[in-house]
Amino acid sequence: MNRYFLSRRRLVGGALAAASLGHPFLRLHAQRWRDRDPFTLGVASGSPTPDGVVLWTRLAPDPLQGGGMGKALVEVGWEVAEDERFARIAARGTARAVAAEAHSVHVELHGLAPGRPYWYRFRAGDARSPVGRTRTAPADGDTATPARLAFGSCQQYEQGYYAAYRDMATQPIDCMIHLGDYIYETSWGSRHVRHHQTGIPTQLPEFRDRYALYKTDPDLQAAHAAFPWLVIWDDHEVANDYTDDVSPHTADPAQFLAIRAAAYQAWYEHMPVPASARPSGASATIYGRYRFGQMLDVLLLDGRQYRSHHACLPGRSATPLVDCPERSAPARSFLGTAQEAWFARELVRPPTQWTVIAQTTLMAEADRKGPPAHGYWMDGWDGYAAARTRLLDAVAALRPRNPLVISGDVHAFWAADLRREPGAPIVATEFVGGAITSEGPSAAGVANLLAKNPHLRFGRGDKRGYALMSLDARGCAVEYRAVDDEKVAGSAVRRLARFAVEDGAPGVHIESA
C-alpha cells in the first residue's frame, strides 16, 4: 500500500483531456503499454474519509490468463484532479505494481478537501487508464450535508447481466456499499447467459482469474469508476456456507484455511480497500467504521471469518430447514468475541444522525417452514439466535441514533422491523437490497415467510436489483431498483418499491410497493 499525505494547496496545472468511452464515468485511455492495454479491469476508489480515499487499479493486459505481467515490477503513475479535464491537479505520485500482489495498485490518499468530488487516473509506460470519479466524506463537523448511498450484493456472473450497475452508475450517489458475494466460486442456477469457463478456484491464480473475469464487465467497471465503494465479503468469495475454518466442501481444516488464505489475498488485490485490510495468511481485518459528517456512521461487519460452526447440522450443508436447542446456545457467535466487543465500543461513541450497520444476511428472524412446523436456515442469523439478541440488546442499551441494518445474501428484497422479541419495541429497521443477478426464492416461499413472520413488512424474490438510500435530518428514504430481465443485456431498471423511516421513530413505512 502506498500512503500519501498531500497539501490541499498543491495544485499543478496541465493534463490531457480524454475521449468518451460511452459511459458517463469512463474515459478512454490514449495510448497502450507494450502494444497491449494493461488497464483491462478498470479503476476504482473506496474507503472514503473526510481527507482522502483509496485508489485502485490492476495491470492485466491478459486478464483471464494470470494477468500477463509476468514477474515485472512496474512503476505506475497516478493523478488526482479537482476537475474532470485534469486542469487543476490536486495530487500526483507513483506506486509500485508487483507480481506478489497481482500487479494491483492501492494508493491510500490523505490531505484532500472534505465533501467534494475528485477525478483520478493511472499511467503505466505510455498507457493511460480510464478516468474515475470519487468523493471524499463530509467534514466531521458537517451537520447539514445529506448522505446518498447504494447497496447491493450477490452478483453470480453466469446468471445475468449487470444492468443494475449500469443504472447505478447514473445515480447521484456518494458511496456504494457492497455486502458480499462479489464473485461466486461455484457454477449453479438455470438459464446461464455467460459462463465461468473454469472450475471451482482453490489456488491463488485461480481466484485471481475469477475476479478478473467479473471485473471485465463494463457495467461493473462503470459503477466502480463513478463513486467510492465500501466492501465486505460473505461466503462465495471463498466457499459456500463456510464458517471460520470449516467448509462443507473441504474435509481437512488445514486444507480449507489454505484455500481461504488464497481467496482473501485475491479479494484484497481486487478491492479498493486500505492497507489495514491486507491479509496475513488466512486472516484479514475488514470490519470498521466510516463517518460521513454528523449525518451518518457506517459500521461494516464481517459475518464469516469468526463465526461459530453451524448448529444442528454438524459437518453438513446449512441448506435444510431445521430447529434444535443448539442454535440458541449463548456461546454461539456470528461475529466472534473480539468483533462483538468492537461493535459495542463503537456504539458508545457520540452518535451521528443515522447509524447504518452493514452486514451480510437477513438479520430478522425468519421461520421458513409452513405451519404448524418451525424451521430455520442455519447459515443465517437464525442459526445464531443468542448472538443476534446480544447485538440488538447492545443497540437498545447504547442507543445509537436512528439505527438501520442493511443486508444482502438471500437473493430477495426485504424490509423488516427488528425487535429483541415478539411484541417488544422496534429496535432498528432492516433493508435487504436484493441481488444484482443471483437467482431468488420462489413466490410461494416468500409468501410463506411474510405470512409466518409479521415483522417482515415487505418481500420480493422475483426481481434482481439493488437499493438506494437517502438520509437527511428529517428521515431516511429507501428505493428498491429492479431489473426488468437480468437475462437480457441492456434491460431497463425501474423502481420496485419505496420506503421511509422517520427520524427518531424506527420502523418501516411503505410508501409504494
Side-chain angles (χ1 to χ4, degrees):
M1 176 73 70
N2 298 270
R3 298 172 62 93
Y4 295 88
F5 296 82
L6 307 160
S7 169
R8 295 174 188 168
R9 296 187 295 272
R10 183 185 173 188
L11 303 178
V12 182
L16 295 175
S20 173
L21 188 61
H23 223 297
F25 303 119
L26 290 179
R27 295 287 185 265
L28 183 66
H29 53 274
Q31 300 179 36
R32 300 170 78 80
W33 186 82
R34 296 182 180 176
D35 298 323
R36 295 185 296 172
D37 177 9
F39 295 108
T40 57
L41 305 182
V43 300
S45 69
S47 305
T49 65
D51 77 334
V53 292
V54 175
L55 306 181
W56 173 92
T57 194
R58 179 190 167 197
L59 305 182
D62 194 359
L64 305 184
Q65 301 294 327
M69 294 296 296
K71 300 296 183 181
L73 183 154
V74 180
E75 295 284 342
V76 178
W78 55 267
E79 290 181 311
V80 177
E82 294 184 339
D83 65 302
E84 60 185 322
R85 294 180 59 83
F86 285 76
R88 300 187 305 277
I89 302 298
R92 57 163 54 104
T94 60
R96 288 187 169 188
V98 299
E101 293 191 348
H103 293 93
S104 62
V105 175
H106 297 74
V107 178
E108 194 167 344
L109 285 169
H110 295 271
L112 302 177
R116 62 149 296 156
Y118 286 92
W119 288 259
Y120 62 95
R121 63 187 179 188
F122 297 89
R123 180 170 181 167
D126 291 329
R128 294 180 179 86
S129 76
V131 171
R133 186 181 71 179
T134 190
R135 188 175 188 89
T136 51
D140 286 341
D142 187 327
T143 60
T145 302
R148 298 160 298 183
L149 308 175
F151 58 93
S153 65
C154 304
Q155 53 196 52
Q156 216 282 358
Y157 179 86
E158 299 171 306
Q159 292 177 11
Y161 298 105
Y162 292 159
Y165 282 129
R166 173 166 285 273
D167 182 74
M168 192 187 298
T170 69
Q171 302 291 336
I173 294 168
D174 299 322
C175 185
M176 159 63 176
I177 304 178
H178 197 285
L179 299 167
D181 292 345
Y182 188 99
I183 64 164
Y184 276 68
E185 85 291 13
T186 54
S187 176
W188 64 278
S190 61
R191 292 180 58 206
H192 287 177
V193 298
R194 46 190 181 176
H195 302 284
H196 282 157
Q197 304 293 348
T198 56
I200 297 174
T202 60
Q203 305 293 320
L204 179 55
E206 296 166 342
F207 279 108
R208 286 169 170 169
D209 284 352
R210 183 61 50 87
Y211 275 99
L213 175 66
Y214 279 54
K215 281 183 167 290
T216 56
D217 184 275
D219 294 329
L220 178 57
Q221 288 192 20
H224 270 300
F227 30 70
W229 287 41
L230 293 171
V231 290
I232 55 177
W233 55 43
D234 195 20
D235 54 342
H236 285 290
E237 286 88 351
V238 184
N240 185 42
D241 288 353
Y242 85 91
T243 56
D244 191 3
D245 61 345
V246 168
S247 167
H249 317 287
T250 305
D252 180 4
Q255 182 183 3
F256 174 67
L257 284 178
I259 295 171
R260 196 177 92 174
Y264 283 8
Q265 178 66 23
W267 179 89
Y268 171 76
E269 292 169 352
H270 291 85
M271 295 295 132
V273 293
S276 58
R278 180 187 278 114
S280 175
S283 300
T285 302
I286 68 166
Y287 59 86
R289 180 181 190 141
Y290 289 85
R291 175 161 286 193
F292 295 76
Q294 290 299 302
M295 190 60 65
L296 169 65
D297 269 336
V298 177
L299 300 179
L300 300 177
L301 302 184
D302 179 352
R304 279 292 160 190
Q305 187 176 181
Y306 315 108
R307 65 158 75 182
S308 303
H309 301 146
H310 292 136
C312 310
L313 300 164
R316 295 170 55 195
S317 166
T319 299
L321 300 180
V322 296
D323 196 9
C324 72
E326 184 190 0
R327 78 177 185 91
S328 299
R332 294 180 51 72
S333 180
F334 193 83
L335 302 176
T337 302
Q339 189 178 187
E340 283 191 20
W342 169 86
F343 179 77
R345 290 195 302 271
E346 291 300 315
L347 294 185
V348 173
R349 294 178 58 180
T352 54
Q353 183 89 19
W354 299 89
T355 300
V356 167
I357 301 166
Q359 55 90 48
T360 53
T361 191
L362 178 69
M363 186 175 289
E365 182 175 305
D367 186 352
R368 295 168 183 262
K369 278 195 174 180
H374 299 280
Y376 301 92
W377 180 46
M378 291 300 107
D379 196 55
W381 277 97
D382 284 333
Y384 304 81
R388 175 175 56 204
T389 298
R390 285 195 299 274
L391 185 148
L392 293 178
D393 282 348
V395 172
L398 300 175
R399 300 172 66 87
R401 189 170 177 183
N402 294 319
L404 304 168
V405 175
I406 61 173
S407 315
D409 182 40
V410 291
H411 304 181
F413 293 99
W414 295 99
D417 298 329
L418 292 176
R419 307 173 190 267
R420 287 181 286 173
E421 58 186 29
I426 300 171
V427 173
T429 311
E430 181 176 16
F431 296 99
V432 184
I436 299 295
T437 56
S438 302
E439 295 173 3
S442 68
V446 170
N448 176 64
L449 277 167
L450 290 171
K452 290 200 70 177
N453 303 276
H455 51 279
L456 295 177
R457 303 288 308 285
F458 173 91
R460 286 283 296 269
D462 59 325
K463 290 292 185 181
R464 313 279 70 79
Y466 71 100
L468 292 173
M469 175 179 281
S470 299
L471 303 151
D472 60 27
R474 296 169 298 176
C476 164
V478 174
E479 177 179 321
Y480 288 160
R481 304 277 296 168
V483 180
D484 281 353
D485 187 348
E486 72 279 3
K487 308 293 187 181
V488 177
S491 185
V493 180
R494 310 176 196 277
R495 178 188 293 179
L496 179 68
R498 184 176 172 85
F499 311 91
V501 180
E502 297 177 0
D503 177 39
V508 176
H509 297 273
I510 302 174
E511 294 189 344
S512 64

